[in-house]
Amino acid sequence: SLIFLFPPLLSPVGGEQISSIGRGLCVLLGISLEDTQRELEHMVRKILNLRVFEDESGKHWSKSVMDKQYEVLCVSQFTLQCILKGNKPDYHMAMPTEQAESFYNNFLEQLRKAYKPELIKDGKFGAYMQVHIQNDGPVTIELESPAATVDPKQLTKLEKQQQRKEKTRTKVPSESSRERNAPRNKDDPSASSGAEGDVSSEREP
């Protein structure tokens, strides 16, 4: 999961205002294919306890959204799972829509259970939304779930390496290579006394 936090937000869709909050947090949630209940619970705790607001004396980074009894507005945003391949965005790491909607609704439910239900607002899942954010500060914080140990940029490299390995494994040896690797007759004077090396131990690229 990737979450970006902004305080605060207004959220109209096609001219119709779906949801809005005053002071608080706007949570943009990108749900990954690999996200589970564990990641969900971690994110809920972080969002509600992250100290991004000032205290009564004006000291910054002292109070959480719960401490201040502020609102939270959540927006599902699969584009946070974008991987750039050249200039083209690729979203194959984002959870599919039906599964993601269930996950997102569960996320909202857990937030409401852990805080005050009336202070948790959300947009419209899957809708084209015009999001207006009045970012106080501005403050934008990225949260990443514990499971997101692989950098998405590195993931593409790992996928390419895996594809190259698969090609190597499925490659049929040519006639000349079969002859080279065929066991030589011990009566052959040109035969080497050393091991010729097994085809299966071919070095990976």
Side-chain angles (χ1 to χ4, degrees):
S1 295
L2 286 173
I3 290 183
F4 284 84
L5 303 176
F6 308 84
L9 174 140
L10 292 172
S11 175
V13 181
E16 174 194 359
Q17 185 170 292
I18 297 296
S19 190
S20 67
I21 62 171
R23 284 301 299 274
L25 295 176
C26 166
V27 176
L28 304 181
L29 173 66
I31 305 169
S32 162
L33 271 172
E34 299 176 346
D35 284 334
T36 65
Q37 184 68 24
R38 179 171 169 264
E39 281 74 57
L40 186 152
E41 291 168 359
H42 173 84
M43 287 302 188
V44 166
R45 284 195 305 272
K46 280 290 184 184
I47 289 164
L48 296 178
N49 292 289
L50 193 68
R51 293 183 295 172
V52 291
F53 298 102
E54 69 281 355
D55 63 15
E56 293 71 21
S57 65
K59 183 181 177 184
H60 294 288
W61 316 107
S62 301
K63 297 291 183 180
S64 70
V65 71
M66 286 201 300
D67 293 333
K68 301 289 283 187
Q69 296 294 288
Y70 286 163
E71 296 172 287
V72 179
L73 193 146
C74 302
V75 180
S76 175
Q77 192 167 354
F78 73 93
T79 57
L80 286 173
Q81 293 298 333
C82 169
I83 296 172
L84 282 180
K85 293 187 174 179
N87 293 320
K88 184 179 179 182
D90 183 285
Y91 301 113
H92 76 276
M93 285 305 295
M95 189 178 282
T97 306
E98 287 184 12
Q99 191 181 350
E101 185 170 10
S102 173
F103 191 97
Y104 178 68
N105 288 333
N106 190 14
F107 171 75
L108 291 172
E109 186 183 340
Q110 295 302 317
L111 275 173
R112 288 174 176 136
K113 280 183 180 177
Y115 191 27
K116 293 183 176 179
E118 66 276 12
L119 296 182
I120 304 295
K121 309 287 181 68
D122 68 304
K124 192 172 182 181
F125 185 89
Y128 179 84
M129 298 177 61
Q130 294 175 336
V131 181
H132 295 265
I133 302 171
Q134 183 182 333
N135 195 350
D136 189 2
V139 175
T140 304
I141 295 176
E142 179 181 351
L143 299 179
E144 209 164 336
S145 62
T149 52
V150 180
D151 184 344
K153 292 177 184 175
Q154 294 297 322
L155 196 59
T156 352
K157 292 180 184 176
L158 292 171
E159 285 173 348
K160 286 179 182 175
Q161 287 171 4
Q162 187 61 32
Q163 286 170 1
R164 284 199 296 269
K165 287 180 181 179
E166 289 299 328
K167 284 179 184 175
T168 305
R169 290 191 192 106
T170 55
K171 187 177 177 183
V172 179
S174 65
E175 286 298 323
S176 58
S177 67
R178 275 200 288 265
E179 287 171 9
R180 247 193 335 266
N181 291 303
R184 296 187 180 183
N185 191 314
K186 56 183 175 182
D187 297 328
D188 184 356
S190 64
S192 167
S193 59
E196 284 297 321
D198 199 315
V199 179
S200 63
S201 66
E202 183 179 356
R203 184 179 298 169
E204 301 285 0

